[in-house]
């Protein structure tokens, strides 16, 4: 792939994580039959995956999936928006796991899938950790630790900005998102999305604002 696309080529993935119901069944004819899953929840999961492009994020997580996670894992995620759409009539919180694009160098002899321990956990008994819960990897795995480096600051600032946005304090939210833009050097997709939305309304929440936005609605005419 790199020989064809160049050494700097990186594949781009859009992944959504959602939890809901689905119906499994066979679709096709006597000549060819494929197993598939059908439901409104699957349509929603697909729509969330498409939103990755809008927010410039590789991973989007629905509120339903977020609620299934442990408190430790939830604390690593950033809430990026609160929306409704044709596939979700009730307000839907959206989350993501912020990552940087740096690639951690694996030690010599490392096997894919193995944990790369942080130096301070070099003597950790991995088997004992595995018996407790999956949370341990967020503390001892150098791979996961490196993914979050440089992202902690914007997660805190953005959370404050989003709460102001949801509560209808849009002028203060605009100022907070400006700080997000400065910290991220204008490279944070969720910040850019909500700044653009606020600009459509001149940073003034509509009287009918209910704490979420309809991402399918037409832009306002001012």
């Amino acid at each position: 792939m790199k020989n064809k696309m160049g050494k700097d080529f990186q594949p781009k993935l859009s992944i959504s994580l959602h939890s809901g119901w689905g119906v499994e069944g066979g679709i096709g004819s006597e000549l060819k039959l494929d197993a598939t899953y059908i439901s409104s929840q699957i349509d929603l999961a697909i729509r969330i995956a498409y939103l990755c492009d809008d927010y410039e994020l590789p991973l989007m997580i629905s509120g339903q999936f977020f609620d299934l996670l442990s408190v430790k894992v939830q604390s690593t995620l950033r809430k990026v928006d609160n929306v409704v759409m044709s596939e979700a009539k009730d307000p839907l919180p959206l989350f993501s796991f912020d990552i940087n694009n740096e690639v951690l160098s694996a030690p010599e002899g490392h096997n894919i899938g193995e944990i790369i321990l942080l130096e301070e956990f070099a003597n950790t008994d991995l088997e004992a950790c595995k018996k407790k819960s999956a949370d341990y990897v967020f503390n001892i795995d150098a791979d996961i630790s490196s993914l979050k480096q440089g992202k902690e600051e914007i997660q805190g600032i953005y959370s404050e900005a989003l709460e102001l946005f949801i509560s209808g304090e849009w002028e203060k939210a605009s100022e907070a998102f400006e700080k997000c833009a400065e910290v991220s050097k204008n490279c944070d997709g969720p910040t850019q999305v909500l700044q653009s939305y606020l600009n459509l309304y001149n940073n003034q929440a509509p009287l009918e604002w209910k704490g979420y936005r309809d991402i399918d609605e037409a832009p306002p005419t001012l």
Side-chain angles (χ1 to χ4, degrees), residues 178-196:
E178 283 292 338
K179 294 180 181 179
C180 292
E182 291 176 9
V183 170
S184 66
K185 298 179 180 179
N186 293 316
C187 292
D188 184 58
T191 296
Q192 293 174 351
V193 168
L194 291 186
Q195 279 186 313
S196 297

Side-chain angles (χ1 to χ4, degrees), residues 97-100 104 116-118 120-121 137-152:
F97 182 80
D98 289 317
I99 61 174
N100 60 46
L104 182 68
I116 303 175
L117 290 173
L118 291 165
E120 58 265 39
F121 296 103
V137 297
F138 289 91
N139 297 321
I140 68 176
D141 189 354
D143 247 339
I144 294 179
S145 177
S146 68
L147 288 175
K148 299 291 287 184
Q149 287 180 2
K151 296 295 183 178
E152 296 87 353

Side-chain angles (χ1 to χ4, degrees), residues 205-222:
L207 294 177
E208 66 275 13
W209 176 249
K210 298 179 180 179
Y212 55 85
R213 64 191 190 94
D214 186 343
I215 59 177
D216 292 327
E217 72 176 356
T221 54
L222 300 177

